[in-house]
Amino acid sequence: MRAVIVAAAVAFVISLLGTPVAIRVFTALKAGQPIRSLGLASNQGKKGTPAMGGVVFIVATVLAYVAGHLALPTLPDRQIAQEGPTMTALVLLGLFVFCGAVGFFDDFLKVRRRNSDGLSAKGKLLGQAIVGVGFGIAALYEPSTNGQTVASEHISLIRDISWLDVGKVGAVMVFVFVIMAMSNGVNLTDGLDGLATGASILVLGAYALIGFWQYRHWCADDAYARANDYCYQVRDPLEIAMIAAAAAAACVGFLWWNTSPARIFMGDVGSLGLGGLIGGLAVATRTTLLSVVIGGLFVLITTTWVIQIVSFRTTGRRVFRMVPLHHHFELAGWSEVNIVVRFWIVAGVCVAIGLGVFYSDFLAVVG
């Protein structure tokens, strides 16, 4: 537990103190956020606000992981410490950094061209797919000493579903889909001050709890497994909890500066990075299908976006005034703060339901 707390505290402090430095640096570099001319008039006042703020909480999370890892040897013997980074950490942090790198390139092109045209949609999806395939292979083909891999060949809900075996190749494809879906979901959600940041904090906090709970009931813990029939077949759950907690805390520090009126935006570097990490956490904790509930706000916003596109291309009609969904409510007259807070409530309800489903499975067995 100490390692998780240390990682979260370090991440929060670095992000809280580092974000104003990033604001000054990006302002000096004139790395301001371009606003689409066809967008909402209310958003034109945000033009020039420093973007690429996601760099801060990505760096904060990586440094916090190192700090948290240094605390591991001081923990009780049953809380297994590693001398170096585990494959789980490499996959999760790798997804965070490299999905963020795809977003950084997109942000860089926007700033350089002084318009909202960054990477093409195909280019962005290709970059995400390459990252997903690379880390998907690492997650499926690099077992630990006990033979456990970061990802599984089975589709999972709260644990692996035994009869849904898709094989290694199929599992890599599922891995790529989850990473791309979640990263684009967070990216679509990032349209109002603090909206994606606050929602991500809730989801990451949920995965920190799930990871730590799995660690306390871990099949690799021989003392626990011998005394209990119920345990979780995952790899490195303490690492999962540490990274999720660090990322959540880093986002809390960033939100101080990102809440309305935002002094800095996370940019695609932040939204794609967060989505990649959340997708990786879902796979690593064997909660792939449950992530649809835990990340329900991201799923809702993505689904309504798809509905709008399909409807317009097939019938020429729009279901919503504008997508992503938060802009529909802006055009309906809701204030930005009202939309953000209410969407945070939706995200919180989804997280609460997801955690309830996760914990109820445990109670059903041990109760």
Side-chain angles (χ1 to χ4, degrees), residues 100-153:
V102 175
F104 182 86
F105 187 53
D106 183 49
D107 289 332
F108 175 78
L109 291 178
K110 291 176 183 176
V111 171
R112 184 176 182 181
R113 295 170 181 173
R114 302 298 177 189
N115 60 45
S116 59
D117 296 327
L119 277 174
S120 66
K122 291 182 180 178
K124 193 182 295 186
L125 290 173
L126 177 61
Q128 293 170 310
I130 291 173
V131 173
V133 169
F135 286 101
I137 291 173
L140 265 299
Y141 288 86
E142 289 294 331
S144 63
T145 53
N146 65 358
Q148 192 76 43
T149 55
V150 177
S152 170
E153 296 180 30

Side-chain angles (χ1 to χ4, degrees), residues 197-286:
T197 309
S200 296
I201 290 168
L202 294 169
V203 174
L204 290 166
Y207 275 112
L209 292 174
I210 288 173
F212 192 74
W213 184 261
Q214 290 178 331
Y215 175 65
R216 299 298 297 179
H217 306 85
W218 192 19
C219 293
D221 182 348
D222 292 337
Y224 177 84
R226 283 195 300 268
N228 299 272
D229 295 328
Y230 191 98
C231 60
Y232 295 94
Q233 287 283 0
V234 294
R235 177 173 173 176
D236 309 314
L238 186 60
E239 297 275 88
I240 293 171
M242 193 189 310
I243 292 170
C251 286
V252 172
F254 179 77
L255 184 61
W256 181 270
W257 307 98
N258 179 236
T259 192
S260 182
R263 292 185 57 189
I264 188 170
F265 299 139
M266 69 166 66
D268 281 9
V269 58
S271 59
L272 293 184
L274 284 171
L277 173 60
I278 291 170
L281 289 168
V283 173
T285 55
R286 307 294 195 266

Side-chain angles (χ1 to χ4, degrees), residues 8 16 19 35 37 49 62 68 84 112 150-151 169 175 196 199 204 212 230 244 267 272 292 294 339 351 360:
L16 181 66
T19 302
I35 302 294
S37 59
T49 302
V62 174
R112 184 176 182 181
V150 177
V169 175
F175 184 94
L204 290 166
F212 192 74
Y230 191 98
L272 293 184
V292 175
I294 295 175
I339 296 169
V351 164
S360 66

Side-chain angles (χ1 to χ4, degrees), residues 285-354:
T285 55
R286 307 294 195 266
T287 57
T288 303
L289 296 179
L290 188 62
S291 68
V292 175
V293 179
I294 295 175
L297 178 65
F298 305 138
V299 174
L300 173 64
I301 289 176
T302 303
T303 301
T304 53
W305 181 83
V306 171
I307 290 172
Q308 182 87 326
I309 298 301
V310 172
S311 176
F312 186 75
R313 290 184 177 179
T314 56
T315 67
R317 297 180 179 179
R318 291 181 172 87
V319 178
F320 305 97
R321 292 182 175 93
M322 187 176 181
V323 289
L325 185 61
H326 36 274
H327 295 319
H328 166 84
F329 291 104
E330 276 193 288
L331 291 175
W334 291 21
S335 70
E336 180 173 5
V337 173
N338 274 339
I339 296 169
V340 171
V341 172
R342 288 168 180 171
F343 275 41
W344 283 351
I345 293 172
V346 172
V349 170
C350 291
V351 164
I353 294 172

